[in-house]
Short mmCIF file of all heavy atoms in Angstrom, two decimals:
data_model
loop_
_atom_site.label_atom_id
_atom_site.label_comp_id
_atom_site.label_asym_id
_atom_site.label_seq_id
_atom_site.Cartn_x
_atom_site.Cartn_y
_atom_site.Cartn_z
N LYS M 1 41.55 131.17 10.12
CA LYS M 1 41.21 132.14 11.16
C LYS M 1 39.71 132.45 11.15
O LYS M 1 39.08 132.61 12.20
CB LYS M 1 42.03 133.42 10.97
CG LYS M 1 41.85 134.44 12.10
CD LYS M 1 42.35 133.88 13.42
CE LYS M 1 42.19 134.90 14.55
NZ LYS M 1 42.57 134.30 15.86
N LYS M 2 39.13 132.51 9.96
CA LYS M 2 37.70 132.80 9.84
C LYS M 2 36.84 131.71 10.49
O LYS M 2 35.73 131.97 10.94
CB LYS M 2 37.31 132.96 8.37
CG LYS M 2 37.81 134.26 7.75
CD LYS M 2 37.37 134.36 6.29
CE LYS M 2 37.90 135.64 5.65
NZ LYS M 2 37.51 135.70 4.21
N LEU M 3 37.36 130.46 10.50
CA LEU M 3 36.63 129.37 11.13
C LEU M 3 36.36 129.68 12.60
O LEU M 3 35.30 129.36 13.13
CB LEU M 3 37.40 128.05 11.01
CG LEU M 3 37.41 127.35 9.66
CD1 LEU M 3 38.32 126.14 9.72
CD2 LEU M 3 36.02 126.95 9.24
N SER M 4 37.34 130.29 13.26
CA SER M 4 37.19 130.60 14.68
C SER M 4 36.32 131.83 14.92
O SER M 4 35.85 132.06 16.04
CB SER M 4 38.57 130.83 15.31
OG SER M 4 39.17 132.00 14.80
N GLU M 5 36.10 132.62 13.87
CA GLU M 5 35.32 133.84 14.02
C GLU M 5 33.87 133.67 13.57
O GLU M 5 32.96 134.27 14.14
CB GLU M 5 35.97 134.97 13.21
CG GLU M 5 37.38 135.32 13.69
CD GLU M 5 38.11 136.23 12.73
OE1 GLU M 5 37.60 136.41 11.59
OE2 GLU M 5 39.16 136.77 13.10
N LYS M 6 33.66 132.81 12.56
CA LYS M 6 32.31 132.67 11.99
C LYS M 6 31.82 131.23 11.92
O LYS M 6 30.67 130.98 11.59
CB LYS M 6 32.29 133.27 10.58
CG LYS M 6 32.62 134.75 10.53
CD LYS M 6 32.58 135.27 9.10
CE LYS M 6 32.90 136.75 9.05
NZ LYS M 6 32.87 137.27 7.65
N GLY M 7 32.71 130.26 12.22
CA GLY M 7 32.34 128.87 12.03
C GLY M 7 32.45 128.49 10.57
O GLY M 7 33.11 129.17 9.78
N GLN M 8 31.79 127.41 10.17
CA GLN M 8 31.85 126.96 8.78
C GLN M 8 30.86 127.77 7.94
O GLN M 8 29.66 127.74 8.17
CB GLN M 8 31.51 125.47 8.68
CG GLN M 8 31.68 124.92 7.27
CD GLN M 8 31.27 123.46 7.15
OE1 GLN M 8 30.67 122.91 8.07
NE2 GLN M 8 31.57 122.84 6.03
N VAL M 9 31.40 128.51 6.97
CA VAL M 9 30.57 129.31 6.08
C VAL M 9 30.58 128.66 4.70
O VAL M 9 31.65 128.39 4.14
CB VAL M 9 31.08 130.76 5.97
CG1 VAL M 9 30.23 131.56 5.00
CG2 VAL M 9 31.09 131.41 7.35
N ILE M 10 29.39 128.37 4.15
CA ILE M 10 29.28 127.71 2.85
C ILE M 10 29.03 128.75 1.77
O ILE M 10 27.94 129.31 1.66
CB ILE M 10 28.12 126.68 2.85
CG1 ILE M 10 28.25 125.72 4.04
CG2 ILE M 10 28.08 125.92 1.54
CD1 ILE M 10 29.49 124.88 4.02
N GLU M 11 30.05 129.03 0.98
CA GLU M 11 29.93 130.03 -0.09
C GLU M 11 30.34 129.47 -1.45
O GLU M 11 29.89 129.96 -2.48
CB GLU M 11 30.80 131.25 0.22
CG GLU M 11 30.35 132.01 1.46
CD GLU M 11 31.25 133.18 1.79
OE1 GLU M 11 32.46 133.12 1.46
OE2 GLU M 11 30.75 134.15 2.37
N LYS M 12 31.20 128.45 -1.45
CA LYS M 12 31.68 127.87 -2.71
C LYS M 12 31.81 126.36 -2.52
O LYS M 12 31.84 125.86 -1.39
CB LYS M 12 33.01 128.50 -3.10
CG LYS M 12 34.10 128.39 -2.05
CD LYS M 12 35.34 129.15 -2.50
CE LYS M 12 36.48 129.00 -1.49
NZ LYS M 12 36.14 129.54 -0.16
N PRO M 13 31.87 125.59 -3.61
CA PRO M 13 31.92 124.13 -3.51
C PRO M 13 32.99 123.59 -2.56
O PRO M 13 32.73 122.65 -1.80
CB PRO M 13 32.18 123.69 -4.96
CG PRO M 13 31.55 124.75 -5.78
CD PRO M 13 31.78 126.03 -5.02
N LEU M 14 34.18 124.19 -2.59
CA LEU M 14 35.27 123.69 -1.76
C LEU M 14 34.93 123.77 -0.27
O LEU M 14 35.49 123.02 0.54
CB LEU M 14 36.55 124.48 -2.06
CG LEU M 14 37.85 123.90 -1.47
CD1 LEU M 14 38.11 122.49 -2.00
CD2 LEU M 14 39.03 124.81 -1.80
N ASP M 15 34.01 124.66 0.11
CA ASP M 15 33.67 124.85 1.52
C ASP M 15 32.98 123.62 2.12
O ASP M 15 32.94 123.48 3.35
CB ASP M 15 32.76 126.07 1.69
CG ASP M 15 33.49 127.38 1.42
OD1 ASP M 15 34.74 127.40 1.56
OD2 ASP M 15 32.84 128.37 1.04
N VAL M 16 32.39 122.78 1.29
CA VAL M 16 31.68 121.60 1.83
C VAL M 16 32.56 120.35 1.84
O VAL M 16 32.14 119.30 2.32
CB VAL M 16 30.38 121.30 1.05
CG1 VAL M 16 29.44 122.49 1.09
CG2 VAL M 16 30.68 120.87 -0.39
N ILE M 17 33.77 120.45 1.28
CA ILE M 17 34.63 119.28 1.15
C ILE M 17 35.46 119.07 2.40
O ILE M 17 36.08 119.98 2.92
CB ILE M 17 35.57 119.42 -0.07
CG1 ILE M 17 34.74 119.61 -1.35
CG2 ILE M 17 36.47 118.19 -0.20
CD1 ILE M 17 33.79 118.48 -1.66
N LYS M 18 35.48 117.81 2.88
CA LYS M 18 36.38 117.42 3.96
C LYS M 18 37.29 116.31 3.42
O LYS M 18 36.90 115.55 2.54
CB LYS M 18 35.59 116.87 5.16
CG LYS M 18 34.57 117.81 5.74
CD LYS M 18 33.98 117.20 7.02
CE LYS M 18 32.88 118.08 7.57
NZ LYS M 18 31.56 117.64 7.15
N ASP M 19 38.47 116.24 3.96
CA ASP M 19 39.39 115.18 3.54
C ASP M 19 40.25 114.77 4.74
O ASP M 19 41.17 115.49 5.12
CB ASP M 19 40.28 115.67 2.40
CG ASP M 19 40.99 114.52 1.67
OD1 ASP M 19 40.71 113.35 2.03
OD2 ASP M 19 41.79 114.79 0.77
N PRO M 20 39.94 113.66 5.39
CA PRO M 20 38.95 112.66 4.99
C PRO M 20 37.57 112.89 5.61
O PRO M 20 37.42 113.70 6.51
CB PRO M 20 39.56 111.37 5.56
CG PRO M 20 40.20 111.84 6.84
CD PRO M 20 40.77 113.19 6.53
N TYR M 21 36.59 112.14 5.09
CA TYR M 21 35.31 112.00 5.76
C TYR M 21 35.44 110.84 6.75
O TYR M 21 36.07 109.83 6.44
CB TYR M 21 34.19 111.70 4.77
CG TYR M 21 33.76 112.90 3.95
CD1 TYR M 21 34.44 113.25 2.78
CD2 TYR M 21 32.70 113.69 4.36
CE1 TYR M 21 34.06 114.36 2.03
CE2 TYR M 21 32.31 114.80 3.63
CZ TYR M 21 32.99 115.14 2.46
OH TYR M 21 32.62 116.23 1.74
N ILE M 22 34.86 110.99 7.93
CA ILE M 22 34.96 109.94 8.95
C ILE M 22 33.62 109.23 9.08
O ILE M 22 32.61 109.84 9.46
CB ILE M 22 35.39 110.54 10.31
CG1 ILE M 22 36.65 111.38 10.14
CG2 ILE M 22 35.63 109.41 11.32
CD1 ILE M 22 37.84 110.62 9.59
N LEU M 23 33.61 107.94 8.77
CA LEU M 23 32.38 107.15 8.76
C LEU M 23 32.41 106.05 9.81
O LEU M 23 31.98 104.93 9.56
CB LEU M 23 32.16 106.55 7.36
CG LEU M 23 32.25 107.52 6.17
CD1 LEU M 23 31.99 106.78 4.87
CD2 LEU M 23 31.29 108.69 6.33
N GLU M 24 32.91 106.38 10.99
CA GLU M 24 33.03 105.37 12.04
C GLU M 24 31.67 104.86 12.49
O GLU M 24 31.53 103.74 12.99
CB GLU M 24 33.83 105.92 13.23
CG GLU M 24 33.05 106.59 14.33
CD GLU M 24 32.41 107.91 13.92
OE1 GLU M 24 32.72 108.44 12.84
OE2 GLU M 24 31.58 108.42 14.68
N PHE M 25 30.61 105.66 12.31
CA PHE M 25 29.26 105.27 12.74
C PHE M 25 28.68 104.14 11.90
O PHE M 25 27.67 103.55 12.25
CB PHE M 25 28.33 106.49 12.69
CG PHE M 25 28.36 107.24 11.38
CD1 PHE M 25 27.63 106.81 10.29
CD2 PHE M 25 29.16 108.36 11.25
CE1 PHE M 25 27.67 107.49 9.09
CE2 PHE M 25 29.21 109.07 10.05
CZ PHE M 25 28.46 108.64 8.97
N LEU M 26 29.32 103.81 10.76
CA LEU M 26 28.85 102.70 9.93
C LEU M 26 29.13 101.35 10.57
O LEU M 26 28.53 100.34 10.20
CB LEU M 26 29.49 102.75 8.55
CG LEU M 26 29.25 104.02 7.71
CD1 LEU M 26 29.91 103.88 6.35
CD2 LEU M 26 27.77 104.29 7.56
N GLY M 27 30.08 101.32 11.50
CA GLY M 27 30.41 100.07 12.17
C GLY M 27 31.21 99.11 11.31
O GLY M 27 31.21 97.91 11.55
N LEU M 28 31.91 99.63 10.31
CA LEU M 28 32.74 98.79 9.43
C LEU M 28 34.19 98.81 9.93
O LEU M 28 34.84 99.86 9.88
CB LEU M 28 32.69 99.31 7.99
CG LEU M 28 31.37 99.17 7.25
CD1 LEU M 28 31.41 99.97 5.95
CD2 LEU M 28 31.05 97.71 6.96
#
């Protein structure tokens, strides 16, 4: 819910983790 109110807030290590990361721009 906070994502819709404040966007992505970086306060702890887990906040920067995505699963999965999407690397389609690599062209592989």
Side-chain angles (χ1 to χ4, degrees):
K1 186 63 180 175
K2 287 181 182 178
L3 285 175
S4 67
E5 297 169 349
K6 299 180 180 180
Q8 185 183 11
V9 178
I10 308 297
E11 296 177 331
K12 56 185 183 298
L14 192 60
D15 291 335
V16 301
I17 302 300
K18 302 186 184 96
D19 196 4
Y21 285 86
I22 307 301
L23 310 181
E24 91 292 349
F25 50 82
L26 300 182
L28 292 169

